[in-house]
Amino acid sequence: MENIISSIVHRYKLLKEIPLFKNVGWYPLQRIARRVQVVEFKKGEIIRREGDPPDALYCLVSGRVQSYSTAGGGRRKTDVEFYRRGMPFGIISFFTNDAHSSTYEALNDSTIVKIDKSDFEDILKFMPQLGVELSHSLSSQLRNRMLPTKRNVEHRIVSVYSPIRGTGSSTYATNLALELEKQTTRRVILVSIVTPAELSQVTPSRDGASPYWHKPPVRLKEIADDYEKLQASIVRGQLKIDLLHVLYDAEDHVLVDSISHFVTTLVSDYHFAVVDLPTEKDILVVKTLTQSDSVHLLTKDKAEDFKGVSQLITELTERMKENFNPDFLKVIVMASEKLESTSLSDISHEIDFTVYARFPHISVEELNTVLSCDVMSISLPWPNSPYALEVRRIARQISGVLVGLALGGGAALGVAHVGVIRVLEQENIPIDMVSGSSMGALVAAFWTSGKNAQGLEVIARDFEKLWDIIKLLCDPVFSPSAFIGGKKITRWLKSRGLEGKTFYDTRVPLKIISYDVLCREELVIESGSLAEAVRQSISIPGVIEPVRMKDRWIIDGGVMNPLPTDVLLKSGAKKIIAVNVLQSPEQVLKGYNEEQRKATEDAKVSFFQDPKKYMLIKLMRVVNKVFNPNVSDIIVRTLQASEYVISQHSAKSADVVIHPDLSHINWYELYKVDELIKRGEDAARAALPQIRKMLEE
């Protein structure tokens, strides 16, 4: 009898936490408590499947649930909805008596109150007002489905953890929480969890980069299962993010069962909960990691620290099993004051997991802003410091506001990209990832690896003198596929800054497009040598010899994907700026007419009238005869005609398309640097209103 009463009291308390029952009095709620079931689901478990009968009403007490429908072959559609603490779900089927149109899956360990359909019909007889409350929830869900822009958005738990002391994990967690709020203007909470051992060692940081808590933390066991106490412990209104500082005793194993409820309760009220975990790796820490949406695992750049990181990755993989997704875990290498020589590719090999990012060391000179309130203070690096920029990129990726830049192919016409980039830099337009084909890949590789617009212009001026172009291209091969070998081009790429550079060295993610002509397969290159990747992507058919790798015969990426917007979309970019430098048919005709007019005028110039101009005209005629109309020129012009059609289709996926007017400039006229850059600048400035509007949406 005592167990039955205890169970009813427990169910009564759970019902009190559900808004649907908030206006129900004590006696009727006791009656309802006798008719409900409390069901527990582990993360990843299916609660109800699409097509199942509407057997019951479900209300989420703790945890999170997502619903989705499927298309052919079991593929998920994009109509995902999320349910948080206190929300009923499955009520459309419950009311209509139709089979469930969605599958409901637990995103975290979840506690759910289940009321069988027949029991709820009996409850309605003595509590008819519950039907009204439920109909309000039904109306809200139907309204959300009719207005997709107003659907509830996914709330995310981001856990920051390092098994190594001194990595700056608390500094990173605090900066990340602040940047998430800045980039999204949504509600963010920073949760700092410490152990007694860590608390006893805390002293104000000498450089101020680490957060310092002025007040003692609240004990986790006192608030983990008490919503009112939890809410009262949160510090609000003093910073743009809310704060919660908690202490937990590693010996208190009862807390392990409460941690999922604790973190999911927080994320019910916030769009982002950034959880800064203690260094000790125990069952509570591991449990928190497995219940998170994303784990940022920090390590130093020292070989002796990699083993602990590798062991944790293995443990998480084994614990989460089919729920483990490599994208869930972000390994971040924090540079020490004296940067180690270990490359990120070597670290990835050592821990058997791809490193997500490397953070620079924060110097004292970079700390220029003191952020302080009653409970916490921290000094922040200046906004354009390397550390702050890396935090911004990661925050933008988490929050789904990534801006991608697609740089299209076009041979010499691609020099116009330099002008576009100059305007983007001058106007501080954020770019979070870049894709490039052909000449767009070349410009993208130099830019993302550290060159600014001015540096790109210096490189472009290597082609300003016709003789320099001839020397670069003077790499003849006796091949039926091309007349330029490409070895000198590769050496030039390395000499101009790509020597030893890999995709790990880019400041934002870079995707380079090439094409395997034998298998007719598009290749998206994201790792390895930048110079080799560019060499593959610029292998213009009929001009530069293809790159042969095992069974692949790799040519210019622009052949199949001259404006790679789709690659950015697949990589998570939500807003895309595309730069199409290929000439439209109208621009080609305009250029042809201009060339005919100019040829007529040039024919009137005599040697005695203007010897210098006369000799230059003669030289240009010789150059043009080399390229026009030989086989290579015919191939490139034909390719660019088809590529323009493809790029027009790709441009539909972009939010903003920048299309410079490059009339009467030929694909091989690399020496027209000033004109190409100027036209790129003009087109980018004309597109600025569209770009700013896109960023504000």
Side-chain angles (χ1 to χ4, degrees):
M1 183 67 179
E2 184 178 347
N3 288 337
I4 296 175
I5 294 174
S6 175
S7 176
I8 294 173
V9 170
H10 175 62
R11 283 178 275 166
Y12 173 84
K13 288 182 178 180
L14 293 180
L15 289 173
K16 288 287 287 182
E17 295 186 23
I18 300 173
L20 180 64
F21 302 100
K22 66 180 179 180
N23 295 321
V24 178
W26 176 83
Y27 179 69
L29 196 59
Q30 289 281 1
R31 293 181 64 183
I32 295 172
R34 297 173 184 272
R35 310 292 289 270
V36 305
Q37 304 172 51
V38 178
V39 190
E40 304 282 346
F41 289 90
K42 294 294 183 183
K43 180 176 181 176
E45 286 188 341
I46 301 299
I47 300 163
R48 296 299 284 167
R49 293 189 181 277
E50 185 177 351
D52 285 348
D55 60 331
L57 174 69
Y58 297 87
C59 291
L60 188 58
V61 177
S62 68
R64 289 177 300 160
V65 169
Q66 67 173 342
S67 70
Y68 53 86
S69 55
T70 55
R75 179 174 52 85
R76 293 188 186 185
K77 294 182 180 179
T78 57
D79 57 339
V80 180
E81 294 189 63
F82 301 95
Y83 300 87
R84 301 180 300 280
R85 177 183 176 275
M87 296 177 68
F89 59 92
I91 57 176
I92 294 177
S93 298
F94 186 82
F95 266 119
T96 61
N97 208 34
D98 294 328
H100 286 288
S101 58
S102 300
T103 294
Y104 296 90
E105 178 184 331
L107 276 174
N108 296 94
D109 292 354
S110 300
T111 301
I112 293 168
V113 165
K114 176 183 176 183
I115 310 176
D116 287 337
K117 192 173 180 64
S118 58
D119 286 330
F120 193 79
E121 289 171 351
D122 290 340
I123 291 169
L124 286 179
K125 291 177 182 178
F126 65 86
M127 283 289 297
Q129 64 267 37
L130 277 182
V132 177
E133 294 288 341
L134 202 56
S135 67
H136 288 164
S137 294
L138 174 61
S139 299
S140 177
Q141 289 192 25
L142 289 173
R143 188 163 55 250
N144 285 338
R145 291 194 175 190
M146 293 173 65
L147 300 171
T149 57
K150 299 207 175 197
R151 285 191 182 182
N152 52 355
V153 296
E154 183 180 6
H155 293 211
R156 298 185 63 80
I157 304 166
V158 181
S159 287
V160 177
Y161 175 68
S162 176
I164 305 143
R165 292 190 182 279
T167 56
S169 56
S170 294
T171 301
Y172 172 76
T174 307
N175 278 269
L176 180 62
L178 290 165
E179 194 63 34
L180 280 170
E181 189 283 328
K182 182 178 178 181
Q183 294 297 329
T184 66
T185 65
R186 290 178 172 173
R187 298 192 67 195
V188 179
I189 185 169
L190 171 66
V191 184
S192 172
I193 303 179
V194 295
T195 62
E198 286 183 325
L199 193 63
S200 64
Q201 298 172 6
V202 171
T203 56
S205 174
R206 288 182 299 169
D207 58 16
S210 300
Y212 180 70
W213 296 85
H214 304 297
K215 293 185 177 180
V218 62
R219 291 189 175 275
L220 181 58
K221 66 180 181 180
E222 294 176 2
I223 63 172
D225 292 315
D226 192 318
Y227 181 74
E228 298 300 328
K229 285 186 178 179
L230 172 59
Q231 293 299 307
S233 302
I234 296 173
V235 178
R236 299 180 175 86
Q238 296 199 17
L239 299 177
K240 289 187 176 180
I241 62 173
D242 291 347
L243 304 169
L244 179 60
H245 191 34
V246 295
L247 176 73
Y248 101 95
D249 189 344
E251 302 299 320
D252 194 348
H253 297 294
V254 177
L255 281 173
V256 175
D257 297 328
S258 305
I259 196 64
S260 177
H261 176 78
F262 170 68
V263 293
T264 57
T265 297
L266 285 171
V267 86
S268 294
D269 299 323
Y270 294 89
H271 289 96
F272 300 100
V274 179
V275 184
D276 179 21
L277 290 165
T279 302
E280 287 86 351
K281 190 191 77 172
D282 58 25
I283 187 64
L284 183 137
V285 168
V286 174
K287 179 79 169 181
T288 305
L289 295 175
T290 62
Q291 293 299 310
S292 303
D293 299 300
S294 181
V295 170
H296 292 201
L297 177 57
L298 276 57
T299 179
K300 293 181 182 178
D301 54 359
K302 297 179 179 178
E304 59 264 28
D305 297 327
F306 301 154
K307 184 177 180 181
V309 171
S310 180
Q311 288 175 343
L312 180 61
I313 294 171
T314 300
E315 183 173 352
L316 289 175
T317 305
E318 292 173 351
R319 282 180 175 272
M320 298 180 72
K321 297 178 181 176
E322 66 273 7
N323 290 321
F324 183 85
N325 183 334
D327 291 336
F328 150 85
L329 184 62
K330 311 293 186 187
V331 176
I332 298 173
V333 176
M334 309 302 287
S336 55
E337 193 166 357
K338 183 180 178 182
L339 186 65
E340 298 290 322
S341 59
T342 310
S343 70
L344 292 189
S345 57
D346 288 341
I347 296 175
S348 297
H349 178 74
E350 185 72 23
I351 65 176
D352 195 23
F353 199 87
T354 302
V355 173
Y356 176 64
R358 189 203 293 268
F359 266 70
H361 176 73
I362 305 178
S363 65
V364 176
E365 292 75 21
E366 291 178 30
L367 301 172
N368 72 337
T369 303
V370 177
L371 197 65
S372 183
C373 64
D374 291 346
V375 295
M376 190 264 285
S377 61
I378 185 173
S379 291
L380 304 175
W382 54 282
N384 287 325
S385 69
Y387 188 96
L389 289 174
E390 191 65 21
V391 172
R392 186 185 74 174
R393 179 182 72 82
I394 293 175
R396 290 174 64 79
Q397 183 172 48
I398 293 170
S399 54
V401 296
L402 291 177
V403 176
L405 177 66
L407 300 181
L413 306 179
V415 176
H417 289 312
V418 177
V420 173
I421 288 172
R422 172 170 289 158
V423 173
L424 296 179
E425 287 181 349
Q426 290 173 348
E427 300 299 325
N428 293 316
I429 304 301
I431 300 298
D432 303 297
M433 67 173 63
V434 183
S435 65
S437 280
S438 194
M439 193 63 164
L442 185 149
V443 175
F446 279 119
W447 188 48
T448 59
S449 63
K451 301 290 184 183
N452 58 14
Q454 184 178 354
L456 293 176
E457 181 178 343
V458 171
I459 293 172
R461 293 199 181 280
D462 281 0
F463 309 123
E464 218 165 15
K465 295 179 181 178
L466 190 59
W467 177 243
D468 290 332
I469 299 176
I470 293 171
K471 285 195 298 183
L472 182 64
L473 301 181
C474 189
D475 185 14
V477 289
F478 298 99
S479 169
S481 60
F483 66 88
I484 297 174
K487 290 182 180 178
K488 283 192 175 181
I489 294 175
T490 302
R491 285 200 293 269
W492 174 81
L493 289 168
K494 292 180 178 180
S495 70
R496 295 310 262 140
L498 297 186
E499 178 70 56
K501 292 287 182 71
T502 70
F503 282 79
Y504 273 121
D505 299 310
T506 60
R507 53 189 175 83
V508 296
L510 171 65
K511 322 287 180 181
I512 286 180
I513 315 304
S514 62
Y515 180 65
D516 179 2
V517 71
L518 291 181
C519 298
R520 296 186 182 181
E521 179 184 3
E522 176 183 302
L523 305 175
V524 180
I525 310 173
E526 303 175 85
S527 62
S529 165
L530 285 176
E532 296 298 333
V534 172
R535 167 66 180 88
Q536 294 176 41
S537 189
I538 63 173
S539 300
I540 304 173
V543 180
I544 302 174
E545 189 175 32
V547 175
R548 301 191 182 189
M549 296 176 63
K550 296 182 180 179
D551 296 329
R552 295 189 182 278
W553 201 9
I554 303 171
I555 63 171
D556 193 325
V559 171
M560 284 299 292
N561 199 348
L563 191 63
T565 55
D566 61 322
V567 174
L568 296 174
L569 286 170
K570 291 174 185 175
S571 300
K574 301 300 181 183
K575 301 174 182 181
I576 295 176
I577 301 170
V579 187
N580 183 9
V581 295
L582 291 166
Q583 296 166 334
S584 68
E586 294 76 18
Q587 289 173 343
V588 172
L589 182 59
K590 179 181 174 183
Y592 175 79
N593 291 334
E594 176 64 20
E595 286 179 359
Q596 294 302 306
R597 184 194 64 78
K598 192 172 183 301
T600 302
E601 289 184 359
D602 289 345
K604 298 176 183 178
V605 178
S606 68
F607 177 80
F608 297 102
Q609 179 186 0
D610 191 339
K612 185 176 180 180
K613 186 175 182 180
Y614 178 83
M615 294 304 296
L616 183 61
I617 291 171
K618 290 293 185 182
L619 178 62
M620 292 309 301
R621 284 180 180 172
V622 171
V623 172
N624 285 330
K625 283 183 179 180
V626 171
F627 288 97
N628 186 12
N630 66 20
V631 173
S632 296
D633 187 59
I634 293 171
I635 291 173
V636 174
R637 289 180 185 271
T638 303
L639 281 173
Q640 289 196 345
S642 61
E643 287 173 9
Y644 178 77
V645 175
I646 299 171
S647 67
Q648 285 294 91
H649 177 74
S650 298
K652 294 177 181 178
S653 300
D655 299 276
V656 178
V657 179
I658 300 174
H659 190 201
D661 183 355
L662 302 177
S663 304
H664 72 266
I665 299 179
N666 287 306
W667 65 271
Y668 51 83
E669 293 178 321
L670 286 161
Y671 49 85
K672 293 186 176 180
V673 176
D674 287 329
E675 190 173 1
L676 284 161
I677 292 177
K678 176 67 166 55
R679 294 199 191 185
E681 283 187 47
D682 292 343
R685 293 214 171 274
L688 279 175
Q690 284 181 274
I691 294 174
R692 291 197 176 100
K693 183 180 178 182
M694 174 197 73
L695 295 175
E696 291 170 0
E697 291 175 348

